[in-house]
Amino acid sequence: MPFKLQLCQDIRSGVIGRRDAQRSHNLSANLIQLWLTQFDRGELNDEEAEASVIVEYEARIAALERKVGQLTMELDLAKKTPRMPAANGSERSFVISGPGAAPSDGDAKP
């Protein structure tokens, strides 16, 4: 049985509450209310419910494809960004600054 129709039947028969349905299926309260209204009017039949599930799945797939694309771009960028080697216990770290020291007057030979 298609998801939407089954969920509406479960809510109307008391198998699951609206809030539990929202949380467990990650649905908005407005969407559940819309489905219940359609269900109560008899507007949800198997074919219609199945078509709406397909549309919902396609929308979810499109959202996931966008996320995969975004993460792929971020990963590519991270791979291309040069990284400074991390100084840890097995590597030496050096700080080099400025020119070497000039001889002082005391070191000069007459």
Side-chain angles (χ1 to χ4, degrees), residues 6-85:
Q6 180 65 53
L7 185 64
C8 289
Q9 287 176 347
D10 289 347
I11 291 171
R12 286 299 185 228
S13 65
V15 172
I16 188 172
R18 289 185 193 203
R19 287 187 181 167
D20 290 334
Q22 282 178 251
R23 278 182 288 231
S24 63
H25 298 293
N26 197 24
L27 299 170
S28 73
N30 290 339
L31 182 60
I32 290 176
Q33 182 56 51
L34 174 67
W35 290 354
L36 288 171
T37 301
Q38 292 171 340
F39 178 78
D40 293 341
R41 290 180 187 160
E43 296 172 359
L44 290 183
N45 60 35
D46 289 344
E47 187 177 310
E48 213 174 289
E50 192 172 307
S52 69
V53 168
I54 291 171
V55 169
E56 291 168 24
Y57 285 164
E58 288 173 347
R60 181 72 176 141
I61 289 168
L64 290 170
E65 286 173 341
R66 286 190 300 273
K67 186 65 174 176
V68 167
Q70 175 190 356
L71 293 172
T72 301
M73 287 177 20
E74 289 176 10
L75 182 59
D76 289 344
L77 180 63
K79 286 179 181 178
K80 292 176 184 175
T81 304
R83 284 183 262 163
M84 297 288 289

